[in-house]
Structure formats: C-alpha cells, structure tokens
Amino acid sequence: MPERRTVALVTLGCARNEVDSEELAGRLAADGWELVEDAADADVAVVNTCGFVEAAKKDSVDALLEANDLKDHGRTQAVVAVGCMAERYGKELAEALPEADGVLGFDDYADISSRLQTILSGGNVEAHAPRDRRQLLPISPAERQGASVALPGHAQEAAEAPAEAPADLPEGVAPASGPRAPLRRRLDKSPVASVKLASGCDRRCSFCAIPSFRGSFISRRPSDVLGETRWLAEQGVKEIMLVSENNTSYGKDLGDIRLLETLLPELAAVDGIERVRVSYLQPAEMRPGLIDVLTSTPKVAPYFDLSFQHSAPDVLRAMRRFGDTDRFLELLDTIRSKAPQAGVRSNFIVGFPGETEEDFAELERFLTHARLDAIGVFGYSDEDGTEAATYENKLDEETVAERLAHMQRLAEELTSQRAEERIGETLEVLVETVVPFDEAEEGEGAYGRAAHQAPETDGQVVFTDGTGLVPGRIVTAKVVGTLGVDLVAEPLGTEFSEIQEAAG
C-alpha cells in the first residue's frame, strides 16, 4: 500500500486564486494525495498567496508564518508558497522568508505533486526567478492560443514534460477534457463556484502590477468553459461566477470580441445551473450587445462589477484609463433603463499621485449619484514595478489616510441608502447558509444572495424565517428591511409554504 500523503490548501486573495487552488487540488488528488481541510492535519501546507497590494502581501506572509508554526507541534512537515506573491517575488521571497520550505511559480503547477514530494522528502526545489510574464506570449492576441505557456486555470501541460491525467481519476475530480481543461477538485460544498474565463490582462493601468506576473490576456475556449460548468453542475453547483482579470476582452484572441454574448446563454442553459454571474468588467469596453445579454438573458444575473477606479478625468488619464463622471453615469443609466434592479459594484483608489481636492470632490459627486450596491475604497500606495511608483506629486500619507477615511464613511452611508431603496423589491435568492435551530438565537437562520450580490463582496440576504430552507435552493423573497448593506427578506409563494409544511 502506498504511503499516505496529506496536503492542505490555504487560499488567500480573489476568486481567481480559488480556482487555481481547486486546480492544484485536482492534480494532487489525481496523483494520490489526500486533501484535508486543516493545515494542522496535513503533511504539507500549501499557501496560495496574493500579491496584489501591500495589505494582501502581509496577509500572505502571516499565513505562511502561521502554517510554519504548526511544524513545531502538529503533523505538518513542510510549508510551501504558491500563487501570485510567490510568482511575483520568487527567490526574493524565499530568501526573505526561510520559514517557507518551497516557493513555487506558475510553471511548477503542472508538476505540483512531484515538487511537493521532493520537498516532503527533504529535497530542495529551487525557487523560480521572476520574469515579466507578458513577454512569454506573442504581442498579437490572435497568435497566443497555440503558445505553450503555463496558465493557471487553463492547465496547459509543461511543454518539456506533458503529464497525462490518469484514466481512473478519484471521485470528485474533474477530468481534463482538453489541453486547457484543468483537473479540478472542489474544496468546499458551496452551491457557488467560480469558473475562469481567461487569464492575464493587456491593459496597462499605471498603478497595477498584475499583468507583469499574470501575463498577457488569453481566453479559454468556450468548449472548456462549458465542460467545466457541466461538471460543476454535476457536483451540485447552482451558481457559477465567471472570473478573469478582464472579462470584457473575452474572445478577442479567438477572433470574436463578442464571444461572451453568445457563451452566456449556453452556460445558462446547462442543466442544474440556476444563475450565471460575470465579474471584472471594464467600463471602457462595455458594448451595447453585452449590456443587452446581461440584462435580458434568463438565469444570467443583471450584475455589473465595473472597474471605475476614479471618475476625475485627470486622475483617470494618469492611471491610463478612460472615462469621466458623466460618461460613467450615462453607462449606469443605460443599464438601469434595461434592468432597474441591476446590481452594480466598483472599487476606487483615493490619494493617487496628483489627485487634487477638486478631483476628490469629483469622485464624491460620482459616488453620490451612482447608487452603487457595493463600493470598495483603497488608499493609493506604490507598487513595485508600476509606472505610478515613478510619478512625482505624491500625496503625503496623512492626506491619503484622511481621504480614505472620508470616502469609506461616505461609501458605507451610500450603500446603506441603496439597500434601503430595495425595500419592497421581490428577489430570487440563492440560499447559501443555514444555521440549525439549536445554533440560532430564534428558530433556524438562513442566509443567501440575490442576483445583485456577488459572493464575499456585496452583502447578503438574511431571511426572516429559515425553517426548512437548504443550501442551493432558489427562493422568492420580498425585502422587508436592511442591516447596513445586507437585506432582510421574507420568503414568499407556495413553494415556501410547502417547505414549511414538509418541515412540520
């Protein structure tokens, strides 16, 4: 009998990282590793790091140190860093953090099992030397599909050592149906799962380092996206969220920039899928046809995760972005004319180099009129290797902190007001969590999300009565109150009455 090998995956950062972790889990399970939830119960703890902003990098380092502590009093024998921070810093991270027994880049993913086995056996796997991954793919998008480059979530095999998936995959592992269809194993039982639509980004926002370590934009083929969605539906998933660095560019390297408009109805038609959500949309790339599909296709959520970042023209140009307050408000008016209940969220950076008080006031004007459901606000800080880090006219830390605090207070107030506007609306809510009677203060507590609420970021729906509700069920409910950005809703209809009767 082969020796028992256990591994735990600790995931930080965005939904794209969650997909990558499930790819790694699929590869490891296919090679005989036993996946466990708690790092303390694992021979190897794999920390999928985030390298986006300073706070995320600190969280990643803390997670690695916490996992390392387990080696003193638990089963854990090795701690390995993967993900964006590991890819971005490589050897530098390995030297600065000797507590990590391995620092693996994206090129190691195809051979993750052998890498972990080497580390677990006391061997050394050299940390990779970081490189600008934009240089690994052709400049022309049309020439990228045939390139042999490691793409997390696409799972191309390493060109020098292709690894075939075993024919007898363990239960719960998705088969790799093509060169870019990854092995995948779910790491939780949530009725929601992310599906990677593409990787990388061709935009050159002056504040963002992501393209340098995630690479240029490359789409997954529609057949692979559909195949993975069908497999997820078989696993009990009811909602899929399409993720990438920029979903509005999907298909440009496949010869059809409107490919998303044709793919969405196909995904919505997959048996078992009740909701399809699209995230990461660029305002400057929004097309009338895409707006139409997002606002009129059954089972496709009228949800717009729009990356505005700011609304003052001078700041946007310094960011190498497009638009202004009035254009953005016109876009929102167009969306809401087609779907009045549409959800809209965005993130913003305050204190960008050269941001004047007038620019700050312009952003406040936009937020006041935009009626966004969710708002993320971040204070500017220099990121290694970005153009903005070289800019002059930097604001002092105190000014950035003051503007951040002011805008965060405003955002909290505005999103609470937007939630109150939804009182009286009837929503289709996907039940995600049910707290049993003996754990809730009064009766059963149930929580879910409506079409305008994405996982983790946009608030939730709190049911007035969770009796008989189960995760994965779509329930019609009427909003009767709010708790900040969260909605309080009462289940409606004959279906709910039947649930109550069945529950006794």
Side-chain angles (χ1 to χ4, degrees), residues 316-376:
L316 286 168
R317 301 308 172 267
M319 290 178 169
R320 299 206 178 279
R321 297 177 66 84
F322 307 94
D324 55 49
T325 295
D326 293 332
R327 290 184 185 181
F328 291 163
L329 291 176
E330 288 174 6
L331 173 60
L332 296 178
D333 286 344
T334 298
I335 290 169
R336 288 171 175 143
S337 70
K338 298 175 181 293
Q341 288 186 322
V344 186
R345 82 166 322 274
S346 191
N347 293 323
F348 300 88
I349 298 173
V350 298
F352 194 80
E355 181 191 61
T356 65
E357 291 184 3
E358 290 76 17
D359 295 329
F360 188 68
E362 183 67 3
L363 176 57
E364 186 168 336
R365 180 172 80 90
F366 171 68
L367 289 177
T368 302
H369 290 86
R371 297 170 55 235
L372 303 180
D373 291 279
I375 300 171

Side-chain angles (χ1 to χ4, degrees), residues 230-307:
R230 294 188 184 102
W231 177 80
L232 287 167
E234 292 170 358
Q235 307 305 303
V237 169
K238 299 300 180 183
E239 174 182 327
I240 62 163
M241 183 167 73
L242 301 178
V243 299
S244 76
E245 280 71 23
N246 177 11
N247 281 332
T248 33
S249 284
Y250 180 69
K252 73 175 186 179
D253 52 321
L254 294 171
D256 185 0
I257 191 60
R258 295 178 176 81
L259 194 56
L260 184 56
E261 286 94 306
T262 56
L263 177 60
L264 284 172
E266 294 183 70
L267 292 170
V270 171
D271 287 345
I273 296 298
E274 298 295 336
R275 183 185 290 160
V276 178
R277 184 184 305 279
V278 185
S279 61
Y280 305 112
L281 301 170
Q282 288 291 338
E285 298 181 33
M286 290 301 295
R287 307 175 290 275
L290 180 55
I291 294 174
D292 287 343
V293 171
L294 287 170
T295 55
S296 65
T297 307
K299 295 188 178 182
V300 172
Y303 176 79
F304 294 81
D305 176 10
L306 295 164
S307 178

